[in-house]
Amino acid sequence: MMQEPRLIEVRKNVLKQNDHIARALREQFRNAGVFVVSLVSSPGSGKTAFLEKILTILREHYRVAALVGDLATENDALRLARSHAPVRQITTGTLCHLEAAMVQRSLDEWDLNQLDFLFIENVGNLVCPSSYDLGENLRLVLLSVTEGEDKPLKYPTIFNSADVAIFTKTDLAEAVEFDASAALANIQAVRPGMDVFSISAKTGAGMPQFLEFLAARLAEMREAVAF
């Protein structure tokens, strides 16, 4: 019998271990009643600006915190700290994604029972993060209007592993001649029925609808836990 290459075997073991930790995290989040949202996108999609806006608005009514992954710098954590929400940086070094163990270690000394929402900003990459479960309740994939309408067709796996798609930087849509209908059709071709929001972190357009969606999901989760 032909043996599997060692690299494939190691990768399977890594993913198996990640899934085990992710299940433990999901149970921990559920018991604490905290709704966890992860964000994935390519670099430069406006992910950090979007999250800063979300944290700033939500913290007026909810207890929020964020973990943010980056290869080498703490720039994103410093930027998110302007929201005055608790923020921790996860520096991944050579890894192009976050893993469940990194999230688990970063939660030390945080009382999850004191949170309503925890956001996890992944490293800017549309390939590697798709394979790693972080125990989140909701995974967002962000697509800026400046990236083109065909990203869902080029990176179908990340759209298939996400729950909701967000068009970002929509204030630039007209200037870059973004074809929203074509982008929506491409998303539906890859992931039929996927929820999609159009948002500008700069103008706030689309933000109320998305925040209402998040609040409803938090209420649904807590109602389910109560039963």
Side-chain angles (χ1 to χ4, degrees), residues 21-109:
I21 298 172
R23 282 196 294 273
L25 278 174
R26 186 168 287 108
E27 184 67 16
Q28 187 180 358
F29 295 149
R30 182 179 182 276
N31 291 337
V34 57
F35 192 81
V36 181
V37 182
S38 74
L39 297 83
V40 295
S41 76
S42 58
S45 68
K47 187 164 66 269
T48 306
F50 170 72
L51 183 52
E52 182 183 358
K53 192 79 170 183
I54 291 285
L55 292 173
T56 301
I57 297 174
L58 278 183
R59 70 179 296 273
E60 294 180 8
H61 306 285
Y62 296 96
R63 301 165 298 176
V64 298
L67 301 175
V68 54
D70 193 65
L71 290 171
T73 76
E74 295 189 355
N75 293 346
D76 290 346
L78 293 173
R79 182 172 180 178
L80 292 178
R82 297 188 305 199
S83 70
H84 301 293
V87 177
R88 282 186 179 167
Q89 180 78 50
I90 303 174
T91 304
T92 62
T94 58
L95 286 181
C96 55
H97 59 271
L98 291 178
E99 296 182 0
M102 298 174 185
V103 172
Q104 189 177 53
R105 286 194 297 270
S106 298
L107 293 175
D108 285 349
E109 300 178 9

Side-chain angles (χ1 to χ4, degrees), residues 10-204:
V10 170
R11 178 173 168 74
K12 282 183 177 177
N13 290 336
V14 169
L15 290 175
K16 184 177 180 180
Q17 183 180 22
N18 185 84
D19 288 346
H20 177 74
I21 298 172
R23 282 196 294 273
L25 278 174
R26 186 168 287 108
E27 184 67 16
Q28 187 180 358
F29 295 149
R30 182 179 182 276
N31 291 337
V34 57
F35 192 81
V36 181
V37 182
S38 74
L39 297 83
V40 295
S41 76
S42 58
S45 68
K47 187 164 66 269
T48 306
F50 170 72
L51 183 52
E52 182 183 358
K53 192 79 170 183
I54 291 285
L55 292 173
T56 301
I57 297 174
L58 278 183
R59 70 179 296 273
E60 294 180 8
H61 306 285
Y62 296 96
R63 301 165 298 176
V64 298
L67 301 175
V68 54
D70 193 65
L71 290 171
T73 76
E74 295 189 355
N75 293 346
D76 290 346
L78 293 173
R79 182 172 180 178
L80 292 178
R82 297 188 305 199
S83 70
H84 301 293
V87 177
R88 282 186 179 167
Q89 180 78 50
I90 303 174
T91 304
T92 62
T94 58
L95 286 181
C96 55
H97 59 271
L98 291 178
E99 296 182 0
M102 298 174 185
V103 172
Q104 189 177 53
R105 286 194 297 270
S106 298
L107 293 175
D108 285 349
E109 300 178 9
W110 267 4
D111 184 357
L112 294 177
N113 294 289
Q114 299 303 313
L115 293 178
D116 297 308
F117 288 102
L118 172 65
F119 294 88
I120 304 173
E121 180 182 337
N122 216 313
V123 177
N125 190 304
L126 282 178
V127 180
C128 305
S130 63
S131 301
Y132 291 85
D133 183 1
L134 301 180
E136 67 270 63
N137 299 94
L138 189 74
R139 179 175 291 187
L140 310 178
V141 56
L142 280 63
L143 167 65
S144 82
V145 300
T146 59
E147 295 178 71
E149 299 84 1
D150 61 350
K151 274 287 171 64
L153 302 180
K154 290 182 175 178
Y155 300 93
T157 305
I158 197 74
F159 281 84
N160 269 314
S161 73
D163 303 293
V164 172
I166 307 282
F167 293 156
T168 60
K169 302 184 182 181
T170 55
D171 50 292
L172 300 176
E174 185 175 350
V176 299
E177 299 181 346
F178 178 68
D179 187 339
S181 297
L184 284 169
N186 290 336
I187 289 174
Q188 296 305 318
V190 171
R191 179 74 183 278
M194 189 178 207
D195 288 322
V196 181
F197 291 86
S198 297
I199 291 175
S200 167
K202 182 177 182 180
T203 67

